Amino acid sequence: MKKTLRYIILRLPAVFLLSCILFACANIGNPNGGPYDENPPKFIGSKPGINQLNFKGKKIEIFFDEYVSIDNPSENVIVTPPQIQTPSIQAVGKKVTVELKDTLKENTTYTIDFTSSIVDNNEKNALENFSFAFSTGDILDTLQISGVLISAEDLEPVQKVLVGIHNDLSDTAFTKTPLLRTSKTDERGRFIIHNVSPGSYHAFALEDKNRNYSYDKSNDESLAFLDSIIVPTFERAMVPDTIWRDTVTVDTVMMVEKTLFYPNDLILWYFKDSIAPRQRMSRPERSKEHIFTLKFNAPMDTFPKPVPLNFEPADSLWYVTQKGEDPENFAINYWILDSMIYKIDTLQVGVTYWKNNDTVPNLVELQTDTLDLIYREAREKKKETKRPVRVRRTEASDSVPAEPERPPVIPLQVGISPSGPINPYDIITVMFNEPVMDVRKEFFVMEIGVDSLWEAVDFEFEEDSIRAMTYLIKRPFKYNENYRLSIDSAMLCSVYGHCNDFLSADMNVKGEKEYGHLTVSIHGLPLVGDSGRVMPAFMELLNTGGAPVRKAVVKDGYATFLDMPAEKYYARITLDANENGRWDAGHYEERRQPERVIYFMQQFEIRQNWKIEETWDVSKSVPGEKPGELIKNKPKEETKKNRNYKDESKPRRSNSSSTNIRGLGL
């Protein structure tokens, strides 16, 4: 007995150890392979060397510590001075090769600005703002100019747009000669022009559609220009440098000596020149058999008159209406009135209109095009369904053939908006789905409810100057009033003979307690030249998506907004120099900058039955600043790939209920 007990006691440690081993084997974690690579590629060398002097070749090889690729080199890699022939840029393994096609200029500093296009192959970590420079002479230029490009109309940062400088300070240099040195804006609208030589410069931004590095005013290119002359400088200064322990924790802040380049805070206001765009016609459309549409890129004073080519014109061939509100997509609808004509599958017409010459700037000439207007019906025909036959009984026979079915009467469609609850400031719109022959104010009846009775009231009536087949009804509505707008049947008929059914819409004006009122005291507006007069301005309230919902002229230092729905709003001010009530772009030939826009950096919260008074000192606003919630052109989120090693070490779950040595990993 003692021997047996002693044997068991001696074997207990071995059994315990074996159990631990088996348990560990049965709970194997997934191998994590180590932490993710969060570091961008590192530059380790090049042929020629970086900042090489007296370089005479055309091939540059740049080496990195890991395998790399280039993101869209034709767009993201900028070679300056600008190259007429596109360079060959490619990445193979750990090497990037650039081959220049143009003849190199003597005594010139060249810069290959990769922006952030070089990334490693695995995690796509970008090497930010990497540039490579060399000189064909004895001197390497090293000055820099930097700043930001902002949309003048809405203060959005402008991404991936060409920015450059000229040392020719004449006004015509931007339109006649390529930019001297260039760069491109990043996702935050920022830019750095590298390797600038000492001197005086003008700065520009350009939507370079034809890639000639100069402004083509007849090509609808957007631009920006700086009024002042730039003289780049530098200084050595002690600046704070932060060493990070990880992505969120600061390890050390120390003072280091660095070279600072100026100017480094340029703001270029980007806009499309207010000159008349080049007139041209885009592809016509025939979405319905009785309508075809001609589209132009700019409004026209007179509508082109199409000439029939493959059919005989009727006495009244078509009715013309303008379509849409976008001035850059000006469309004209032609309503074909004769059914014998619009049943033709392909209508051929000739259209003569004014068009800009493609080769001679500023030359406008008559252009005649022959158009094939094709309408194709849907091939899938609906299955015919048998309809009940109406039988008329007589003495001679129990049944007679069915009466022929009459075509359905199609009424004119009329829409009234808004209806139901309305605001005191609303304008009632009446819309038709087809052109109406004769629309008069007396065809409409507006009544107000008074003590359960309805009394007719007067109103203003006019055709909408922008939207086709739309009319406006205006009246100063008051709180809690009830209205009814009605149109008797067959009062209005379209060009196709379709007349309206009786239509009535009830409207009730909301009560005063449902609204809030906002008054903003505005200070710090700039003066108009030396006149001592404050710059005219208007203020807009914006919804949380940034769209304007109400406008008020700044008068005697105040902007007032009455009857506002209870919401949260943002605000902006436009310096309205010509007092036309809208934002105006600039004009390069006149050296006129676009009108300035300034955003309020806080929200206004309007509550029901509240009167709010706020103060805004415009002079303290940072130029180009916009609330982050309203910025749409945001950079791509930089996502760090952090792995949860605890989760990775958890045991895998097996779908099988049985275990064996192989399943345990032993």
Side-chain angles (χ1 to χ4, degrees), residues 35-41 120 123-128 188 244-249 636-645 648:
Y36 273 84
D37 177 14
E38 297 179 0
N39 297 316
D120 60 50
E123 306 301 333
K124 304 302 179 184
N125 298 306
L127 180 57
E128 301 286 345
R188 292 178 173 83
W244 296 86
R245 183 175 303 166
D246 50 42
T247 56
V248 296
T249 308
K636 297 176 183 177
E637 294 184 3
E638 299 176 358
T639 57
K640 295 294 184 181
K641 303 176 180 64
N642 296 320
R643 302 180 74 177
N644 190 332
Y645 298 111
E648 290 181 358

Side-chain angles (χ1 to χ4, degrees), residues 83-380:
Q83 304 292 288
I84 304 301
Q85 300 183 66
T86 304
S88 171
I89 304 172
Q90 57 183 344
V92 178
K94 300 180 180 181
K95 180 176 67 174
V96 171
T97 303
V98 179
E99 293 189 48
L100 303 178
K101 306 296 185 181
D102 287 2
T103 301
L104 299 186
K105 300 177 182 179
E106 295 183 358
N107 301 316
T108 302
T109 298
Y110 280 79
T111 306
I112 306 172
D113 187 356
F114 290 93
T115 59
S116 302
S117 62
I118 296 179
V119 298
D120 60 50
N121 276 353
N122 293 328
E123 306 301 333
K124 304 302 179 184
N125 298 306
L127 180 57
E128 301 286 345
N129 299 319
F130 178 71
S131 65
F132 183 92
F134 63 87
S135 175
T136 58
D138 297 329
I139 298 174
L140 184 80
D141 300 319
T142 58
L143 296 176
Q144 294 181 6
I145 296 170
S146 59
V148 64
L149 179 64
I150 296 175
S151 171
E153 185 174 10
D154 56 11
L155 304 195
E156 285 288 309
V158 184
Q159 305 171 345
K160 309 299 181 182
V161 167
L162 189 72
V163 180
I165 57 175
H166 262 303
N167 59 358
D168 182 349
L169 303 182
S170 65
D171 294 336
T172 58
F174 187 36
T175 60
K176 292 185 177 181
T177 57
L179 292 165
L180 179 67
R181 302 196 70 81
T182 60
S183 182
K184 265 193 177 181
T185 57
D186 64 13
E187 292 183 334
R188 292 178 173 83
R190 301 175 301 190
F191 63 88
I192 302 175
I193 303 176
H194 298 276
N195 302 105
V196 179
S197 63
S200 299
Y201 300 93
H202 275 153
F204 305 91
L206 177 63
E207 181 190 16
D208 194 16
K209 292 182 178 180
N210 52 4
R211 302 179 72 90
N212 65 350
Y213 300 95
S214 60
Y215 174 52
D216 186 356
K217 64 181 180 181
S218 62
N219 205 30
D220 297 343
E221 294 179 336
S222 297
L223 74 152
F225 64 96
L226 203 64
D227 293 321
S228 57
I229 295 175
I230 302 170
V231 180
T233 59
F234 74 96
E235 69 173 355
R236 298 290 293 176
M238 300 298 294
V239 297
D241 187 24
T242 303
I243 299 176
W244 296 86
R245 183 175 303 166
D246 50 42
T247 56
V248 296
T249 308
V250 175
D251 184 292
T252 308
V253 177
M254 61 179 62
M255 299 300 292
V256 297
E257 187 178 20
K258 286 189 176 181
T259 302
L260 303 181
F261 297 96
Y262 303 103
N264 60 2
D265 56 355
L266 298 180
I267 299 179
L268 295 176
W269 305 105
Y270 194 62
F271 65 95
K272 179 166 286 189
D273 207 316
S274 57
I275 62 174
R278 300 178 65 183
Q279 185 70 64
R280 63 174 64 89
M281 181 173 67
S282 58
R283 186 180 182 88
E285 296 178 356
R286 190 180 173 193
S287 56
K288 297 182 179 180
E289 62 179 358
H290 62 290
I291 306 173
F292 68 88
T293 304
L294 301 183
K295 293 184 178 181
F296 298 86
N297 68 315
M300 309 180 74
D301 295 331
T302 57
F303 296 159
K305 186 177 181 180
V307 177
L309 298 180
N310 69 335
F311 59 95
E312 293 294 329
D315 294 335
S316 298
L317 183 57
W318 37 56
Y319 191 91
V320 182
T321 61
Q322 180 182 338
K323 174 187 175 184
E325 305 178 30
D326 185 0
E328 296 184 2
N329 188 16
F330 185 79
I332 307 168
N333 274 342
Y334 294 83
W335 302 73
I336 307 171
L337 304 181
D338 191 334
S339 61
M340 297 297 292
I341 294 176
Y342 65 64
K343 291 296 182 182
I344 301 174
D345 290 341
T346 301
L347 298 176
Q348 194 174 72
V349 298
V351 178
T352 300
Y353 59 97
W354 290 101
K355 177 185 177 182
N356 292 79
N357 189 287
D358 292 330
T359 57
V360 182
N362 302 322
L363 176 61
V364 181
E365 56 189 1
L366 283 173
Q367 169 83 17
T368 300
D369 293 337
T370 299
L371 307 178
D372 290 327
L373 306 169
I374 303 173
Y375 175 72
R376 295 184 176 89
E377 283 187 294
R379 294 183 178 180
E380 295 182 3

Side-chain angles (χ1 to χ4, degrees), residues 76 236 305 383 455 460:
N76 295 328
R236 298 290 293 176
K305 186 177 181 180
K383 294 182 179 179
E455 298 179 0
E460 296 181 21

Side-chain angles (χ1 to χ4, degrees), residues 392-400:
R392 183 172 53 194
R393 296 186 177 274
T394 63
E395 295 180 0
S397 174
D398 291 339
S399 64
V400 296

